[in-house]
Amino acid sequence: MAETKSMSKRCTAVFAGAAMVAATLAGCTKTETTESGQLLQSLKDKGTITVGFAGEAPYSFEDGGQLTGATVALHKEIFANLGIKTVDGVQTEFGALIPGLQANRFDAVSAGMSILPKRCEQASFSEPEFMYTTALMVKPGNPMNLTDMQSVQASGAKLAAMTGAIESDYADALGIDATQVATPQDGMDAVTSGRADVFALTAISLNWLKSHTPNAAVDVTPSFVAVIDGKPQVGAGGTVFRTSDPDLLAAYNTELAKITGDKDKYLSIVGKFGFTERELPDPKYTTAKLCKGEI
């Protein structure tokens, strides 16, 4: 994971089944610490959980003052089933999510974060919630004919990638000197301003961004599975917890399995954010295997 960045000062409160109340505060207080393995009961007693998010649509982001997105929708469903009715959100840069979790800024990370071996050394991941592929945001007409990470490398195109995101890792592995951006919007701005020729991110994020910014002079390439060192990179994301909170992780996974094991239930929760059966996790891609780099 990337080094810690400055955290956003903004805290957002989301109340399940009710209108959301947002406030701009001088700072975000730390969540309460508990003895190892007892966080779940503490959260039930409070009725509130605080999640960190990076503002990447359609996973978790603010819209009209409300915290929303596919991961947020999953969290509202799952945590409510666990007796935790309120979800609070703290926004920070993607690269600061795991450090913020470790510093007790929040209780979990809501970002559809890729399950990678090096991240598994720092925190605990839920079972996969989403499968994903990569795409490229380019200038209209794709003048450099970019189709995948190797084409970016071969062309010498100026690449932008989000700090801490998997696409930054792809760039590093291929020796591409990528410009780091904090948010998807920053990546789009880099392309439209000419500071970058291409912005790499998950296909569902780029397509959402383009569809919700119709006047932006960009195109999005067809999605692809990145190949690094001859190995296709299976993309699977999940919710992140501290390693000291196994009770919360286990309870979360139990409820998650009820959703990912039921296609109709899954799509009823995340479908409105552009997720389809294609993003439904494949049971063979377990977190244990992904953390070991066996897939």
Side-chain angles (χ1 to χ4, degrees), residues 39-117:
L39 180 59
L40 176 58
Q41 187 58 53
S42 175
L43 296 176
K44 285 183 177 181
D45 292 342
K46 291 191 301 180
T48 301
I49 185 168
T50 303
V51 299
F53 70 102
E56 180 184 352
Y59 294 97
S60 51
F61 61 104
E62 284 185 335
D63 183 23
Q66 293 191 2
L67 181 61
T68 186
T71 57
V72 174
L74 280 174
H75 288 164
K76 286 182 178 180
E77 177 79 14
I78 290 173
F79 291 127
N81 289 343
L82 294 176
I84 306 167
K85 295 184 178 181
T86 302
V87 178
D88 289 345
V90 175
Q91 183 168 357
T92 187
E93 293 182 10
F94 192 90
L97 287 170
I98 287 182
L101 178 68
Q102 294 170 326
N104 296 316
R105 294 289 182 184
F106 24 84
D107 305 303
V109 171
S110 176
M113 185 176 286
S114 299
I115 303 169
L116 303 173

Side-chain angles (χ1 to χ4, degrees), residues 233-256:
Q233 303 297 297
V234 173
T239 294
V240 194
F241 302 91
R242 285 183 291 269
T243 56
S244 59
D245 300 324
D247 59 332
L248 183 58
L249 172 62
Y252 185 90
N253 276 335
T254 296
E255 293 300 319
L256 175 63

Side-chain angles (χ1 to χ4, degrees), residues 6-288:
S6 297
M7 294 188 66
S8 167
K9 303 274 186 177
R10 181 173 50 186
C11 292
T12 305
V14 178
F15 301 89
M20 178 238 178
V21 179
T24 301
L25 305 176
C28 297
T29 58
K30 291 187 177 182
T31 58
E32 294 180 11
T33 57
T34 61
E35 293 183 24
S36 180
Q38 296 183 12
L39 180 59
L40 176 58
Q41 187 58 53
S42 175
L43 296 176
K44 285 183 177 181
D45 292 342
K46 291 191 301 180
T48 301
I49 185 168
T50 303
V51 299
F53 70 102
E56 180 184 352
Y59 294 97
S60 51
F61 61 104
E62 284 185 335
D63 183 23
Q66 293 191 2
L67 181 61
T68 186
T71 57
V72 174
L74 280 174
H75 288 164
K76 286 182 178 180
E77 177 79 14
I78 290 173
F79 291 127
N81 289 343
L82 294 176
I84 306 167
K85 295 184 178 181
T86 302
V87 178
D88 289 345
V90 175
Q91 183 168 357
T92 187
E93 293 182 10
F94 192 90
L97 287 170
I98 287 182
L101 178 68
Q102 294 170 326
N104 296 316
R105 294 289 182 184
F106 24 84
D107 305 303
V109 171
S110 176
M113 185 176 286
S114 299
I115 303 169
L116 303 173
K118 68 178 183 180
R119 290 176 179 165
C120 295
E121 294 174 0
Q122 302 172 304
S124 296
F125 280 78
S126 72
E127 288 302 319
E129 297 166 336
F130 308 103
M131 306 299 292
Y132 64 82
T133 52
T134 303
L136 305 173
M137 180 170 280
V138 296
K139 300 180 191 309
N142 194 8
M144 300 186 76
N145 244 351
L146 302 175
T147 56
D148 56 17
M149 297 301 294
Q150 279 74 15
S151 69
V152 173
Q153 178 190 42
S155 68
K158 294 181 292 183
L159 173 70
M162 202 161 71
T163 301
I166 186 62
E167 294 77 21
S168 288
D169 293 343
Y170 296 159
D172 287 344
L174 294 171
I176 301 171
D177 186 14
T179 297
Q180 298 296 300
V181 297
T183 68
Q185 184 62 55
D186 292 338
M188 172 182 275
D189 292 344
V191 174
T192 58
S193 69
R195 290 183 290 111
D197 299 309
V198 54
F199 173 42
L201 197 64
T202 61
I204 200 159
S205 294
L206 291 184
N207 285 316
W208 177 280
L209 184 58
K210 178 173 171 54
S211 68
H212 286 74
T213 320
N215 295 326
V218 293
D219 284 338
V220 176
T221 67
S223 65
F224 59 90
V225 174
V227 177
I228 303 297
D229 294 330
K231 182 179 178 181
Q233 303 297 297
V234 173
T239 294
V240 194
F241 302 91
R242 285 183 291 269
T243 56
S244 59
D245 300 324
D247 59 332
L248 183 58
L249 172 62
Y252 185 90
N253 276 335
T254 296
E255 293 300 319
L256 175 63
K258 297 174 185 177
I259 297 172
T260 56
D262 182 339
K263 180 184 69 174
D264 292 337
K265 177 71 170 177
Y266 179 79
L267 294 178
S268 73
I269 296 172
V270 304
K272 65 180 179 180
F273 299 102
F275 290 78
T276 67
E277 189 174 350
R278 184 180 182 184
E279 281 75 46
L280 182 65
D282 186 327
K284 72 181 179 183
Y285 296 128
T286 66
T287 293

